[in-house]
């Protein structure tokens, strides 16, 4: 597999104790969606997902947002993504809670997570189909 997108892979022992198997994929939003800017710049978020496309972890790593302290820095922002599928809307105001006065920040962070996760999943599925 020649990765088109920069990402990480996590492996674990199979349930039967045999060969290790892929248990997750992860990426930084600034690597997969570098052109998505919020109010003051890009938001670097680490996104982890299962090979099935279910989001298992989100961590906001760095940003310049002046309203981040009451929006994307709060633990409830990344927590609301956990368990969602890349097939879910992942839209602010629909299945992602909106925070007033931080609309640009919230929408940019959510868009980067959504687009990056879907892009990586597409690449992973095309890799699996080519085997």
């Amino acid at each position: 597999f020649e990765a088109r997108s920069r990402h990480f892979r996590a492996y674990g022992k199979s349930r039967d104790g045999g060969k290790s198997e892929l248990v997750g994929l992860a990426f930084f939003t600034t690597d997969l969606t570098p052109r998505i800017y919020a109010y003051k710049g890009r938001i670097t978020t680490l996104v982890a997902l299962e090979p099935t496309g279910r989001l298992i972890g989100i961590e906001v790593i760095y940003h310049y947002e002046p309203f981040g302290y009451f929006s994307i820095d709060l633990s409830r922002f990344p927590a609301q993504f956990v368990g969602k599928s890349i097939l879910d809307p992942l839209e602010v105001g629909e299945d992602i809670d909106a925070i007033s006065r931080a609309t640009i920040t919230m929408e940019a962070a959510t868009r980067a997570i959504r687009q990056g996760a879907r892009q990586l999943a597409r690449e992973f599925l095309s890799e699996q189909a080519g085997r």
Side-chain angles (χ1 to χ4, degrees), residues 9-38:
R9 291 180 177 216
Y11 293 87
K13 289 280 186 191
S14 66
R15 291 188 181 94
D16 62 7
K19 189 177 173 183
S20 63
E21 60 185 27
L22 181 68
V23 294
L25 304 163
F27 67 93
F28 288 107
T29 53
T30 47
D31 287 337
L32 266 64
T33 57
R35 292 188 178 103
I36 295 179
Y37 285 84

Side-chain angles (χ1 to χ4, degrees), residues 63-74:
H63 65 82
Y64 297 99
E65 298 304 290
F67 303 117
Y69 69 94
F70 69 83
S71 61
I72 60 175
D73 286 341
L74 298 176

Side-chain angles (χ1 to χ4, degrees), residues 2-119:
E2 292 183 33
R4 294 183 298 231
S5 298
R6 186 173 172 194
H7 67 281
F8 309 93
R9 291 180 177 216
Y11 293 87
K13 289 280 186 191
S14 66
R15 291 188 181 94
D16 62 7
K19 189 177 173 183
S20 63
E21 60 185 27
L22 181 68
V23 294
L25 304 163
F27 67 93
F28 288 107
T29 53
T30 47
D31 287 337
L32 266 64
T33 57
R35 292 188 178 103
I36 295 179
Y37 285 84
Y39 183 72
K40 284 290 214 175
R42 299 186 307 166
I43 299 170
T44 302
T45 306
L46 180 62
V47 179
L49 60 148
E50 292 179 338
T52 60
R54 188 174 71 90
L55 296 167
I56 55 178
I58 306 289
E59 183 76 32
V60 177
I61 304 297
Y62 190 79
H63 65 82
Y64 297 99
E65 298 304 290
F67 303 117
Y69 69 94
F70 69 83
S71 61
I72 60 175
D73 286 341
L74 298 176
S75 60
R76 68 178 184 241
F77 172 72
Q80 64 187 321
F81 288 90
V82 176
K84 293 191 182 293
S85 166
I86 59 164
L87 301 175
D88 290 333
L90 301 175
E91 291 278 346
V92 173
E94 190 164 330
D95 61 339
I96 302 300
D97 291 336
I99 306 285
S100 64
R101 299 187 337 232
T103 307
I104 294 170
T105 299
M106 296 288 296
E107 287 180 350
T110 300
R111 190 170 56 252
I113 292 166
R114 179 183 63 244
Q115 287 179 8
R118 289 176 178 173
Q119 176 184 333

